[in-house]
Amino acid sequence: MTEYIKQYYHSERSMALLAAAIGLAFLIIAWVAFRQPGSGQLYRGLTYTLVVSGLLFLSGLGALLQSDKKMEEVSNYTQSNRELQVSELQRIEKVLATGYRISTILASIAVLAGVVLLLFNSGNLHRGIGLGILLFGTALHALDFFSINKHKIYYESIKALKL
């Protein structure tokens, strides 16, 4: 059972790396937009939001460190395989039931706000900010989608174990 848990934390590590890669990509895009010759208000607004979004996604590196720490702790577990299976099932059920509410709501609000700023604003600065917020919300939804599916697959695989 401990091997399944280690694999889980390894996949958490991969998700943290993906989030950090998205953050780095946002920062690179912001830098390119900022460096455009004669870049106007649209690029400036996009740059502002992509820098903030990039830094938020780069904070995923903290989850990377946490995953590494958890993988080390798994080796010290003293519970039986059956006890570990039951506790993991309960933990993942809780994650699936409540763990994605805030990020899903935040991503949905960001997408909606981005669309509103893009469609109902005549100022290029606000449109650039809207585009950046839309990109942030879309990337967050994509990460949530992959993470939720990863949790469901993990849940079903440990539930199917006969221990």
Side-chain angles (χ1 to χ4, degrees):
M1 188 63 207
T2 56
E3 284 307 311
Y4 279 93
I5 298 171
K6 284 181 183 179
Q7 288 174 2
Y8 168 82
Y9 285 116
H10 185 70
S11 70
E12 285 288 301
R13 189 178 195 282
S14 298
M15 290 299 294
L17 285 172
L18 179 59
I22 290 170
L24 185 59
F26 278 3
L27 290 173
I28 291 169
I29 294 168
W31 183 77
V32 168
F34 179 74
R35 302 282 300 168
Q36 288 301 308
S39 61
Q41 295 293 317
L42 180 74
Y43 286 127
R44 182 168 289 136
L46 181 62
T47 300
Y48 294 156
T49 55
L50 288 184
V51 166
V52 172
S53 299
L55 293 174
L56 287 172
F57 277 110
L58 274 176
S59 69
L61 291 174
L64 177 77
L65 298 174
Q66 188 67 19
S67 294
D68 288 345
K69 182 180 171 187
K70 289 286 190 177
M71 276 195 277
E72 290 176 18
E73 290 175 3
V74 169
S75 301
N76 299 327
Y77 285 171
T78 57
Q79 297 99 327
S80 70
N81 282 336
R82 181 67 184 139
E83 290 171 330
L84 284 173
Q85 181 185 27
V86 169
S87 69
E88 276 296 283
L89 286 171
Q90 291 171 348
R91 186 178 70 82
I92 298 301
E93 284 171 356
K94 185 177 178 182
V95 167
L96 288 170
T98 62
Y100 293 100
R101 284 186 185 153
I102 293 172
S103 63
T104 301
I105 290 169
L106 176 64
S108 298
I109 289 170
V111 167
L112 183 62
V115 168
V116 166
L117 283 170
L118 273 171
L119 295 179
F120 301 110
N121 225 309
S122 60
N124 279 339
L125 178 67
H126 291 111
R127 294 179 98 180
I129 291 171
L131 180 59
I133 292 172
L134 179 62
L135 289 171
F136 169 76
T138 303
L140 189 55
H141 265 305
L143 276 177
D144 275 354
F145 173 79
F146 289 119
S147 185
I148 289 169
N149 284 330
K150 175 187 62 81
H151 278 93
K152 287 179 181 178
I153 290 168
Y154 176 68
Y155 179 81
E156 292 302 323
S157 68
I158 61 173
K159 186 177 177 183
L161 291 175
K162 305 292 183 211
L163 301 175

